[in-house]
């Protein structure tokens, strides 16, 4: 349940961030003024964020309406990100932070949510020395998508002949690196460290 809630918060923030960086002339001009070049955000980035938000919302609806186990929902997991989200919005409304800063902070907020949602699974696998019950297909897809994002950024930087391109969409880059690192850890646990334990990669093949 905590994973579902954090995913919903994260994709809500990321959808706002990518939509603003892609479609808002005010935000794009402010970004260009601050960093010397417009943000490198594509329609595919907006689609990814929107698709993720829809899927996260669907998962949350299913968790709320379908029968499930007795797993409790940590109130801190629900409250803390919501408080941060509202606080950032209020600070922007009061003029304490600029709209651009808010947009970029929302992108970093998504990365923080991704960081938080992966940790429990990594710790659980390590504590049990097993990946039983772990859905490896999702980790494989996340790893592949993150790797493609990093490669895309590197190719664009090489084509432009400038390392500055690498940081022209910082939220996307940070998110890709966080996801890449954690999914690599989970896949290592599944296929290497705990491969022969129940649910491990080799145990499933045998």
């Amino acid at each position: 349940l905590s994973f579902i809630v954090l995913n919903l918060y994260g994709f809500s923030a990321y959808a706002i961030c990518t939509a603003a960086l892609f479609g808002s002339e005010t935000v794009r001009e402010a970004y260009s003024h601050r960093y010397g070049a417009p943000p490198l955000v594509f329609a595919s980035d907006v689609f990814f964020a929107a698709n993720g938000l829809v899927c996260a919302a669907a998962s949350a609806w299913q968790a709320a309406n379908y029968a499930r186990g007795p797993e409790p929902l940590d109130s801190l997991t629900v409250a803390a990100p919501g408080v941060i989200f509202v606080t950032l919005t209020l600070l922007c409304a009061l003029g304490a932070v600029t709209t651009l800063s808010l947009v970029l902070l929302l992108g970093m907020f998504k990365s923080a949510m991704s960081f938080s949602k992966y940790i429990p699974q990594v710790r659980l696998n390590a504590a049990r020395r097993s990946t039983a019950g772990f859905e490896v297909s999702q980790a494989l897809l996340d790893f592949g998508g993150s790797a493609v994002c990093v490669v895309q950024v590197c190719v664009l930087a090489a084509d432009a002949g400038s390392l500055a391109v690498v940081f022209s969409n910082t939220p996307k880059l940070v998110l890709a690196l966080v996801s890449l690192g954690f999914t690599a850890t989970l896949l290592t646990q599944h296929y290497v460290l705990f491969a022969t334990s129940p649910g491990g990669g080799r145990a499933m093949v045998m």
Side-chain angles (χ1 to χ4, degrees):
L1 286 180
S2 297
F3 181 95
I4 292 174
V5 172
L6 292 175
N7 223 21
L8 184 58
Y9 274 129
F11 273 111
S12 296
Y14 195 59
I16 295 172
C17 173
T18 53
L21 288 174
F22 179 77
S24 171
E25 286 302 319
T26 301
V27 171
R28 291 180 65 83
E29 287 177 6
Y31 191 101
S32 298
H33 179 73
R34 181 184 295 186
Y35 297 107
L40 203 62
V41 181
F42 302 100
S44 58
D45 297 320
V46 179
F47 175 79
F48 166 77
N51 179 66
L53 178 57
V54 170
C55 292
S59 296
W61 185 88
Q62 290 177 328
N65 291 279
Y66 293 168
R68 63 175 187 270
E71 180 187 354
L73 180 60
D74 186 357
S75 58
L76 183 62
T77 300
V78 177
V83 170
I84 294 172
F85 194 96
V86 172
T87 300
L88 289 175
T89 304
L90 287 175
L91 288 174
C92 181
L94 294 172
V97 297
T98 64
T99 302
L100 175 61
S101 295
L102 173 64
V103 168
L104 295 178
L105 284 171
L106 288 176
M108 294 300 104
F109 180 83
K110 164 58 178 165
S111 298
M113 291 300 96
S114 293
F115 187 90
S116 301
K117 76 180 184 181
Y118 280 121
I119 288 177
Q121 186 66 59
V122 173
R123 292 181 61 187
L124 179 63
N125 292 346
R128 298 182 306 162
R129 301 192 64 78
S130 170
T131 57
F134 167 60
E135 182 53 62
V136 68
S137 60
Q138 181 173 336
L140 288 169
L141 290 171
D142 283 349
F143 182 85
S146 301
V148 168
C149 281
V150 173
V151 170
Q152 179 194 39
V153 169
C154 292
V155 169
L156 290 170
D159 183 60
S162 172
L163 282 175
V165 174
V166 174
F167 304 100
S168 61
N169 188 349
T170 308
K172 177 181 177 179
L173 177 63
V174 173
L175 178 60
L177 292 176
V178 168
S179 182
L180 197 62
F182 273 105
T183 52
T185 300
L186 289 168
L187 292 174
T188 300
Q189 289 179 324
H190 186 71
Y191 289 112
V192 181
L193 298 178
F194 313 131
T196 57
S197 63
R202 275 181 244 164
M204 293 175 68
V205 173
M206 295 171 63

